[in-house]
Amino acid sequence: MSKYLVFMVGLLYSLSSVWAANPSINKLNTCVALVEFVDSKLDDYADHYSSEDMAVVHRGLSAYRSFLQDDVVTPKLLSMYGGNAVQAKLMQTLFDRQKKTFASHLNERYTEKKLFTDYAAAINDCTAYTRIKPEVVKSLNTALDRMILMGRQVK
């Protein structure tokens, strides 16, 4: 895995000292940001890979991103703020700003228009932080496997 990607993910993770059994909101938000970044880059890679491969990866990443945001991050934010939806929304806005900075750094680092196995490995690392719904696990694993195969293709 690229040292830069590891550094960026590590930097964002370092904001927390909570154990993996109860991952911090920062770790979870970093995972959402990574998945959103990779998912958003798919259109940039369209001329390098088959549309079928792209659709499989997009479906899996979209399902995982939705799961993380809707089933994990949002409820955790609400819990942190005692059910205060206004406070939770303000914190989500802050996280959304952090995601933009994270994506900007990744865009600077990864300028080639191809998927990297680094992305798949980093997203796979995120799966250790939560129990994922079975239907999401299946589509995410298929997407990650496809990303690794695509990353090995020379085009």
Side-chain angles (χ1 to χ4, degrees):
M1 189 177 333
S2 166
K3 289 179 184 177
Y4 187 75
L5 180 61
V6 171
F7 174 74
M8 287 302 301
V9 172
L11 179 63
L12 290 171
Y13 284 169
S14 70
L15 298 173
S16 166
S17 62
V18 179
W19 299 103
N22 186 18
S24 74
I25 195 74
N26 293 320
K27 284 183 182 183
L28 296 168
N29 191 61
T30 299
C31 290
V32 172
L34 178 64
V35 173
E36 284 180 2
F37 170 77
V38 174
D39 197 31
S40 73
K41 300 305 282 179
L42 288 178
D43 290 339
D44 293 347
Y45 306 136
D47 57 340
H48 294 271
Y49 303 106
S50 76
S51 59
E52 180 184 324
D53 286 343
M54 299 299 285
V56 166
V57 174
H58 181 68
R59 249 189 324 274
L61 294 179
S62 293
Y64 185 51
R65 182 243 167 259
S66 293
F67 165 76
L68 282 175
Q69 186 63 55
D70 300 339
D71 296 353
V72 182
V73 172
T74 299
K76 192 166 185 139
L77 280 172
L78 281 169
S79 175
M80 283 175 54
Y81 290 103
N84 185 330
V86 173
Q87 283 296 113
K89 185 172 174 88
L90 287 172
M91 183 56 78
Q92 184 61 56
T93 301
L94 176 63
F95 285 146
D96 291 342
R97 288 183 196 146
Q98 290 173 336
K99 284 189 251 184
K100 288 178 184 176
T101 301
F102 182 68
S104 174
H105 289 295
L106 288 176
N107 271 322
E108 290 172 12
R109 173 66 176 115
Y110 290 100
T111 57
E112 289 184 57
K113 296 211 184 309
K114 64 178 184 175
L115 289 174
F116 294 91
T117 56
D118 296 357
Y119 292 149
I123 291 169
N124 188 57
D125 289 347
C126 287
T127 65
Y129 300 127
T130 60
R131 290 195 131 168
I132 306 170
K133 292 179 181 178
E135 62 273 15
V136 174
V137 168
K138 183 176 180 177
S139 91
L140 177 62
N141 286 342
T142 301
L144 295 177
D145 289 344
R146 192 68 57 99
M147 286 173 65
I148 291 167
L149 291 172
M150 292 164 66
R152 292 179 182 158
Q153 291 177 4
V154 178
K155 287 198 173 199

